[in-house]
Amino acid sequence: MGLELYLDLLSQPCRAVFIFAKKNGIPFQLRTVQFLKGQNCSKEFLQINSLQKLPVLKDGDFILTESSAILIYLSCKYQVADHWYPSDLQTRSWIHEYLGWHADNIRNIFGVTLWIRVLAPLIGTQVPEEKVKRNRTYMDHALQQLESKFLGDKPFLVGQQVSLADLMLLEELIQPVALGYDVFVGRPQLAAWRGCMEASLGTELWQEAHGPIFNILEQMTKKTLPVPPPESQTNMLFHISKIP
Ligand SMILES: N[C@@H](CCC(=O)N[C@@H](CS)C(=O)NCC(=O)O)C(=O)O
């Protein structure tokens, strides 16, 4: 069996991995694991990742979780163009500097909109209003730091060409946009960066990767989304309780 990627395109880190593999022509078997159907809690998936999280890469007997580790593995194994994960020590270090900051300041903040607008209502609850307000404040604060410290007036995070750090960031920022909060409005630097990202990924791949998340509100309105099974709902309630 060749390379297998376990993904759900509603998830930001899954989309980053999907886009990276597609853009670089890396051949893989897509193993779709749908959160909304509780498939990440199935016995079969537990054998792949006992943490029940996506994305997961399986390359023969080798299993790897964590999107940034997966992107680095793919970059090195398939010798993709250098700009994705630059060999220059200092530029590579900037990628890791960004990824460290991203894990602390972006990752758990920008995905909250999906919980507010879709996941909590789907299981008959809601994210408390004070958490909703706080989340908006945290997003705005992180975006200011992102622009001033990491992006500046460069076309991409670590220079003139797209890197895996840009992809990680893009997918987190697309999440609130698809859920009704356009983080690019009123932020010209960030909007210019988004334009560079769209141009470098291409329209077809952009649409393929983002279709499911951009359709989710419509599906919510039409009540066509699956309701997560009880075994997933326990995890989901725990997740909601952990929203800052
Ligand atoms: N730091 C991890 C985050 C993985 C993660 O939180 N994945 C979410 C989807 S975005 C997940 O699988 N959630 C299912 C669960 O927690 O039960 C990465 O970047 O890969």
Side-chain angles (χ1 to χ4, degrees):
M1 186 63 74
L3 180 70
E4 298 166 80
L5 295 175
Y6 293 77
L7 308 175
D8 181 333
L9 293 183
L10 292 180
S11 141
Q12 315 86 300
C14 289
R15 289 196 302 272
V17 169
F18 178 81
I19 291 172
F20 185 86
K22 286 270 178 171
K23 184 70 195 166
N24 287 294
I26 296 171
F28 66 95
Q29 287 282 329
L30 176 61
R31 306 278 180 230
T32 300
V33 179
Q34 288 184 269
F35 296 114
L36 293 183
K37 294 188 175 164
Q39 292 171 346
N40 58 315
C41 301
S42 71
K43 274 194 197 135
E44 296 74 34
F45 188 69
L46 275 177
Q47 305 294 315
I48 306 286
N49 185 5
S50 59
L51 300 179
Q52 304 180 330
K53 286 188 190 286
L54 297 168
V56 179
L57 170 150
K58 189 165 184 296
D59 194 5
D61 291 337
F62 176 69
I63 291 182
L64 188 64
T65 64
E66 288 299 327
S67 52
S68 54
I70 293 172
L71 293 176
I72 291 169
Y73 178 83
L74 293 177
S75 299
C76 298
K77 171 153 184 180
Y78 294 91
Q79 298 180 356
V80 302
D82 191 70
H83 60 82
W84 287 107
Y85 186 53
S87 48
D88 173 72
L89 176 62
Q90 293 183 351
T91 318
R92 183 168 285 195
S93 301
W94 279 331
I95 300 250
H96 286 277
E97 177 189 49
Y98 173 75
L99 292 176
W101 183 81
H102 177 99
D104 285 346
N105 296 278
I106 298 284
R107 170 65 198 144
N108 287 326
I109 300 298
F110 287 77
V112 171
T113 40
L114 184 65
W115 289 88
I116 297 169
R117 300 291 307 273
V118 175
L119 300 177
L122 258 187
I123 59 167
T125 184
Q126 52 188 16
V127 176
E129 195 48 39
E130 69 271 17
K131 291 191 179 199
V132 174
K133 284 197 188 129
R134 241 185 342 250
N135 180 249
R136 185 64 74 96
T137 309
Y138 290 158
M139 280 199 280
D140 291 344
H141 181 65
L143 290 169
Q144 273 166 20
Q145 292 190 331
L146 174 70
E147 286 192 306
S148 60
K149 157 85 180 151
F150 292 98
L151 190 57
D153 54 9
K154 303 191 298 301
F156 297 101
L157 284 172
V158 298
Q160 298 303 311
Q161 284 183 286
V162 64
S163 74
L164 57 84
D166 293 287
L167 216 41
M168 294 283 285
L169 172 61
L170 176 70
E171 293 315 313
E172 292 295 337
L173 300 195
I174 286 296
Q175 207 78 345
V177 172
L179 275 302
Y181 175 41
D182 192 339
V183 297
F184 296 100
V185 169
R187 295 194 171 88
Q189 275 170 286
L190 211 56
W193 169 82
R194 177 189 163 146
C196 294
M197 288 303 291
E198 280 200 58
S200 81
L201 299 183
T203 312
E204 202 178 314
L205 179 54
W206 182 279
Q207 284 171 356
E208 184 183 4
H210 297 135
I213 195 69
F214 275 108
N215 280 335
I216 200 153
L217 284 183
E218 189 182 336
Q219 282 188 277
M220 190 68 188
T221 311
K222 290 183 178 162
K223 298 190 190 310
T224 51
L225 290 173
V227 175
E231 60 274 21
S232 311
Q233 293 197 15
T234 312
N235 281 349
M236 291 171 75
L237 288 170
F238 181 57
H239 188 105
I240 292 169
S241 75
K242 288 198 309 179
I243 293 174

